[in-house]
Amino acid sequence: MSHPILSPFVEIERADWARLAPRTPNPLTEAEVRRLRGLGDRLELREVAEVYLPLSRLVSLYQESAARLHRETTAFLGAKAEPTPFVIGVAGSVAVGKSTTARLLQELLRRWEGSPKVDLITTDGFLHPNRVLEQRGLMGRKGFPESYDRRALLGFVSRVKSGEAEVRAPVYSHLTYDILPDDEIVVRRPDILIVEGLNVLQPPPSSAHLAVSDLFDFSIYVDARTSAIREWYVERFFALKAGAFQDPLSYFHRFADLTDSQARAYAQEVWDSINGPNLVEHIVPTRSRADLVLRKAEDHTIRSVLLRKV
């Protein structure tokens, strides 16, 4: 006798999820959506209304619940109820659209009641500088867990979560493909902090350690078939080749004059040797740790939502 497959998630099809949308107008304009969507993403106003508006409402409910629990717990302990930021993690592969999801969620959450202060950081800023990666022989593994300064990232999120007045983070340049030594992001007591990156849902290295994901109040994983993400990565490489790579200051300027066949072959090689293995070995295994999974179809649109059972 076969047994039903048990899962900690309930899967909600796109049409059913859309019915959960609040009865409020979409707060974003077409121009804002174009500004927020990443290179190669096909985000449209309809998807914002049907998928991301109800998602932002769900997250706001979690935030309100966490704030209420914090107030009641501190009152029970007879302590002073200093508010702490609600921290959201957004994970997923290169080229899957997680950056678009993070930026969009930031904009929508800002527009809920009370206009909360929502800050966003990417873990790119916590990559080791190229000189360090070169010294350690890790330039070919950029994006893998060992290429990040995980201690610095954990320290940053811990300090924000603890309510420090001002916390600083490094800045990464996709133009120079390196950390900017004279730049930084300053986070000043946000109501909500979104942390976006490939490996943000990684478990701790051992039971004696803390992982940055342990500090998340809510986490999202953006998912799609690996074959689809591979093709999106190649499409994005072509878009960069025609755009950012044309800048002489770009780290990848040397690829600007590749023929289309050379560009496709190179992008596929990078995926197959770096991004694909990182996805399979380190990123996909963290999917089950998320509170919510956005599943994309081949055309980049969300086809269903998996929500962890409460």
Side-chain angles (χ1 to χ4, degrees), residues 24-46:
T24 56
N26 188 339
L28 300 181
T29 65
E30 181 65 49
E32 288 172 315
V33 171
R34 283 198 302 270
R35 173 176 58 83
L36 292 168
R37 68 185 168 208
L39 200 61
D41 213 331
R42 297 167 193 150
L43 180 69
E44 301 292 345
L45 271 175
R46 179 178 176 181

Side-chain angles (χ1 to χ4, degrees), residues 21-27 53 112:
R23 294 180 180 179
T24 56
N26 188 339
L53 196 57
W112 281 108

Side-chain angles (χ1 to χ4, degrees), residues 61-78:
L61 289 174
Y62 272 77
Q63 184 211 7
E64 292 165 7
S65 177
R68 183 168 58 251
L69 178 61
H70 175 72
R71 289 193 302 270
E72 293 175 354
T73 301
T74 50
F76 173 76
L77 296 173

